[in-house]
Amino acid sequence: YIIRITDGLFLSLTMNLSDYAWESKFDEVIARAQSHPHEARSNAIAAGLRGWTALHALLCRNPPLNAVEAVYNANPNAIHTLDDGGETPLSIAQSYGASKEVLAFLKNPPSLSVANVTPTSSHGSMAKDEKYNQHAMT
């Protein structure tokens, strides 16, 4: 985007991964996640959105599975990240009525070594979905 401030003065704004997610531009989400994976790794990208990652932001737009996979591949740890309200991307997806395919993917993502996945939050606690899953397994 280029915004004209005054005659001869322009401000250029570049869309980021979360911007494309908010606008439901899923093809752009896929391309941006591949070309700028660092944008999927920052809670600051979705500024002002309760500590959301790009994955949180995407999941409130009922995205197709391939868009979710692209953002996940850019930052697998985001799947366990809690927002400021303690919600995981799975919780957000459930709240916004994500497809069965997306929910199944979020519940059982491609195998990652458990040692490589670190649940994170601004509060340092394990994602509540993970607590539930651990309790259900015992």
Side-chain angles (χ1 to χ4, degrees):
Y1 291 99
I2 297 181
I3 300 171
R4 181 177 173 206
I5 305 297
T6 62
D7 285 336
L9 180 62
F10 297 88
L11 176 64
S12 175
L13 300 176
T14 302
M15 299 268 295
N16 65 39
L17 183 57
S18 292
D19 294 330
Y20 289 125
W22 273 116
E23 292 190 13
S24 300
K25 294 183 175 181
F26 302 125
D27 289 337
E28 287 86 348
V29 165
I30 294 166
R32 189 75 179 191
Q34 293 169 348
S35 66
H36 293 77
H38 64 279
E39 292 181 1
R41 296 184 199 119
S42 173
N43 291 33
I45 294 299
L49 299 176
R50 304 175 29 180
W52 281 10
T53 64
L55 187 59
H56 286 88
L58 178 65
L59 289 165
C60 75
R61 296 296 190 207
N62 294 315
L65 180 58
N66 61 345
V68 175
E69 290 171 332
V71 175
Y72 170 82
N73 289 336
N75 181 16
N77 284 327
I79 206 163
H80 300 286
T81 301
L82 298 172
D83 68 11
D84 294 344
E87 300 295 325
T88 63
L90 175 58
S91 302
I92 299 298
Q94 290 169 328
S95 296
Y96 284 88
S99 70
K100 290 179 184 178
E101 295 81 14
V102 166
L103 292 174
F105 177 86
L106 295 171
K107 289 176 184 176
N108 190 23
S111 62
L112 291 173
S113 168
V114 174
N116 292 334
V117 178
T118 306
T120 58
S121 78
S122 57
H123 310 292
S125 61
M126 183 179 285
K128 65 184 175 184
D129 296 323
E130 291 301 305
K131 287 180 186 175
Y132 173 80
N133 288 341
Q134 284 184 349
H135 177 70
M137 295 172 136
T138 58

